[in-house]
Amino acid sequence: MLSTFEAEEPNNPVRRSEYKPPEYLVDHTDLVFNVINETRVEVSATLSMRRNPDAVVELDPGADGSKAPKAPAITLNVGSEIKEISSISIDGVAVDQSQVSGTKSTMQIPGRDGNFTININTVINPAENKKRRGLYKSGDALVTQHES
């Protein structure tokens, strides 16, 4: 279980003049929800991703003085607040959770070049989701913002 999440940062607007292309693109997403009860839902997310060829590339200096493109961290906005991360893998290889950081609704994991698949297994609590983003409780039902 990951316990290094920081407090939420306030929502600050992003101005058009500050926009930059995302570092990664998501080509396909599979989500599986296992509803235990209204306070515990296990979520399995599988994302097929790749580096964005239009992204701004930072160069990382090598030991020999040469510079190579640096793979930026992968930032994922999950919508619902994460209660627990069960596992994260990239192309079937487990990611050490000490390399994962973020807030209750975003996470950052080490960057990667080329095409890759991320699998993330988390637990969320829809009953505590008062922002009504992602999966949340509305009356007696669990819904997303598109169904309420």
Side-chain angles (χ1 to χ4, degrees):
M1 182 171 114
L2 184 68
S3 60
T4 60
F5 283 148
E6 301 170 3
E8 285 294 321
E9 295 178 10
N11 287 335
N12 295 322
V14 176
R15 293 173 176 73
R16 188 176 195 170
S17 62
E18 298 169 346
Y19 174 80
K20 63 178 187 173
E23 284 101 357
Y24 297 93
L25 300 173
V26 178
D27 293 318
H28 185 82
T29 302
D30 284 319
L31 292 173
V32 176
F33 296 90
N34 181 19
V35 179
I36 307 302
N37 57 48
E38 66 186 32
T39 64
R40 185 175 178 87
V41 176
E42 299 170 345
V43 182
S44 176
T46 303
L47 310 171
S48 298
M49 300 180 69
R50 61 188 162 94
R51 289 289 303 272
N52 183 353
D54 296 329
V56 177
V57 177
E58 290 184 36
L59 298 178
D60 202 10
D64 62 356
S66 64
K67 294 192 175 189
K70 178 182 177 184
I74 301 164
T75 301
L76 301 170
N77 296 307
V78 270
S80 297
E81 290 190 358
I82 301 167
K83 185 174 177 181
E84 172 185 326
I85 296 177
S86 305
S87 65
I88 301 173
S89 64
I90 299 177
D91 290 335
V93 178
V95 173
D96 185 329
Q97 289 195 10
S98 68
Q99 297 179 306
V100 180
S101 63
T103 66
K104 290 183 179 181
S105 61
T106 66
M107 70 173 73
Q108 287 191 328
I109 56 180
R112 188 77 183 243
D113 285 321
N115 296 345
F116 54 95
T117 300
I118 297 177
N119 183 264
I120 304 169
N121 294 297
T122 61
V123 175
I124 61 173
N125 182 345
E128 288 183 358
N129 182 353
K130 305 304 179 201
K131 292 182 180 179
R132 295 186 175 228
R133 291 179 14 206
L135 186 68
Y136 62 93
K137 184 177 181 200
S138 178
D140 291 334
L142 294 179
V143 298
T144 67
Q145 65 269 34
H146 300 292
E147 300 169 323
S148 58

